[in-house]
């Protein structure tokens, strides 16, 4: 029988630190935002084998704080060999995607460059036969259309906030959607959760961001909050949500099984 049958899988978190709670968790899928984190996430996966599973990806926004800016192809190109070097270790390509938030990507040139970086990484995922862990903000339609054009089959759209009709296009393409603890405060998101079939939903915390209280560090242990909220919105038991979302995660990130 499956060792992960009981317990949660956090399908999208950021672990650069070693301290995190593990309440009821069977596995963490740890994404990167920039190449400087690649070696770090590999180290973590070696420290917690069979528990922390690493992904490599270049996020559509780079830098931090005041210096946050739209990604450029040179944020990716020098690091392409690392995807090959660690292809046996990584379980997905992510966090990749599109972020057309006006104050970060207000020119067509910036948006086109993001699409270029996204497409390149979608191609890598196909070449390595890995799923993708995707960020989409103010870009839902383009994100899903781009993935469909490239024939992507295995994908997680994390913290998705697009229109339900756009989400359903993703469902039809076979994609999964995950929601962090913060969505429990958002009625718009309840509509989405109601419409997306449970077979297409995964759990995530997006730690250390997107917790219930923005002043308190979010942790993978908060996964129960997502589970209970989805159960409430769908009118089913938390147990059913845990079981099905865990099965979905194992189907999507098939390397977790081994």
């Amino acid at each position: 029988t499956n060792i992960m049958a009981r317990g949660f899988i956090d399908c999208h978190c950021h672990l650069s630190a070693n301290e995190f709670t593990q309440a009821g968790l069977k596995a963490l899928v740890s994404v990167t935002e920039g190449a400087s984190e690649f070696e770090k996430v590999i180290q973590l996966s070696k420290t917690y084998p069979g528990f922390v599973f690493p992904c490599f990806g270049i996020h559509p926004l780079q830098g931090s704080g005041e210096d946050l800016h739209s990604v450029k192809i040179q944020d990716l190109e020098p690091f392409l060999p690392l995807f090959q070097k660690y292809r046996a270790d990584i379980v997905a390509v992510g966090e990749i995607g599109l972020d057309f938030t006006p104050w970060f990507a207000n020119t067509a040139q910036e948006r086109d460059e993001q699409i270029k970086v996204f497409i390149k990484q979608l191609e890598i995922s196909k070449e390595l036969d890995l799923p993708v862990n995707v960020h989409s903000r103010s870009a839902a339609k383009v994100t899903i259309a781009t993935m469909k054009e490239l024939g992507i089959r295995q994908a997680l759209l994390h913290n998705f906030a697009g229109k339900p009709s756009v989400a359903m296009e993703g469902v039809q393409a076979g994609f999964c959607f995950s929601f962090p603890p913060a969505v429990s405060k958002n009625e718009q998101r309840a509509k989405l959760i109601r419409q997306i079939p449970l077979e297409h939903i995964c759990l995530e915390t997006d730690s250390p961001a997107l917790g219930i209280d923005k002043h308190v560090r979010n942790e993978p242990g908060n996964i129960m909050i997502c589970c209970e909220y989805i159960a409430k919105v769908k009118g089913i038991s938390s147990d059913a949500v845990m079981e099905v979302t865990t099965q979905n995660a194992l189907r999507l990130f098939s390397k977790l099984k081994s």
Side-chain angles (χ1 to χ4, degrees):
T1 60
N2 194 332
I3 52 156
M4 289 190 191
R6 297 293 301 163
F8 300 106
I9 297 178
D10 185 345
C11 287
H12 185 103
C13 62
H14 301 260
L15 294 180
S16 41
N18 274 344
E19 355 35 272
F20 49 84
T21 55
Q22 305 179 9
L25 278 158
K26 295 289 176 206
L28 304 178
V29 177
S30 188
V31 296
T32 58
E33 293 184 1
S36 64
E37 298 170 50
F38 284 8
E39 306 275 349
K40 239 184 267 176
V41 78
I42 291 291
Q43 271 325 108
L44 264 174
S45 72
K46 304 258 188 260
T47 309
Y48 299 97
F51 182 63
V52 172
F53 293 89
C55 310
F56 281 4
I58 305 292
H59 191 282
L61 300 181
Q62 292 295 299
S64 60
E66 294 290 286
D67 174 44
L68 205 56
H69 59 275
S70 195
V71 71
K72 295 180 172 49
I73 198 78
Q74 55 267 33
D75 293 317
L76 170 66
E77 279 193 325
F79 308 105
L80 291 174
L82 290 174
F83 286 87
Q84 299 295 340
K85 181 180 173 186
Y86 291 107
R87 62 188 297 169
D89 299 281
I90 57 178
V91 301
V93 173
E95 176 174 359
I96 65 175
L98 301 174
D99 195 314
F100 292 171
T101 309
W103 49 94
F104 295 126
N106 58 1
T107 67
Q109 192 186 345
E110 284 172 315
R111 293 190 289 272
D112 288 345
E113 189 89 353
Q114 278 194 23
I115 292 170
K116 226 192 277 181
V117 172
F118 185 35
I119 288 175
K120 182 73 199 153
Q121 293 183 98
L122 291 173
E123 286 167 346
I124 292 169
S125 80
K126 287 172 72 173
E127 196 185 315
L128 301 180
D129 194 21
L130 290 172
V132 286
N133 210 319
V134 177
H135 168 101
S136 144
R137 189 159 44 193
S138 306
K141 254 187 135 64
V142 191
T143 302
I144 285 179
T146 305
M147 289 159 69
K148 283 169 73 171
E149 267 162 47
L150 277 164
I152 297 297
R153 309 223 55 81
Q154 298 289 89
L156 180 74
L157 287 130
H158 108 94
N159 190 25
F160 188 78
K163 292 193 177 77
S165 58
V166 179
M168 293 320 281
E169 282 174 39
V171 166
Q172 262 129 38
F175 305 156
C176 284
F177 295 80
S178 60
F179 300 97
V183 301
S184 61
K185 298 248 188 283
N186 183 322
E187 195 34 54
Q188 267 312 96
R189 228 56 90 74
K191 244 192 227 158
L192 256 181
I193 291 168
R194 246 175 244 122
Q195 285 211 9
I196 298 172
L198 188 59
E199 288 61 40
H200 289 266
I201 292 179
C202 288
L203 303 179
E204 66 156 297
T205 61
D206 200 27
S207 316
L210 297 184
I212 286 275
D213 177 346
K214 61 171 178 290
H215 305 296
V216 179
R217 178 191 158 96
N218 185 18
E219 301 225 351
N222 288 338
I223 198 91
M224 191 67 202
I225 298 167
C226 319
C227 178
E228 285 172 349
Y229 181 66
I230 291 164
K232 193 177 90 182
V233 169
K234 285 196 168 293
I236 53 182
S237 74
S238 302
D239 256 12
V241 173
M242 175 175 76
E243 210 160 296
V244 177
T245 55
T246 295
Q247 284 164 10
N248 297 344
L250 293 170
R251 192 174 65 238
L252 177 60
F253 302 107
S254 51
K255 275 181 153 182
L256 266 60
K257 289 194 202 99
S258 54

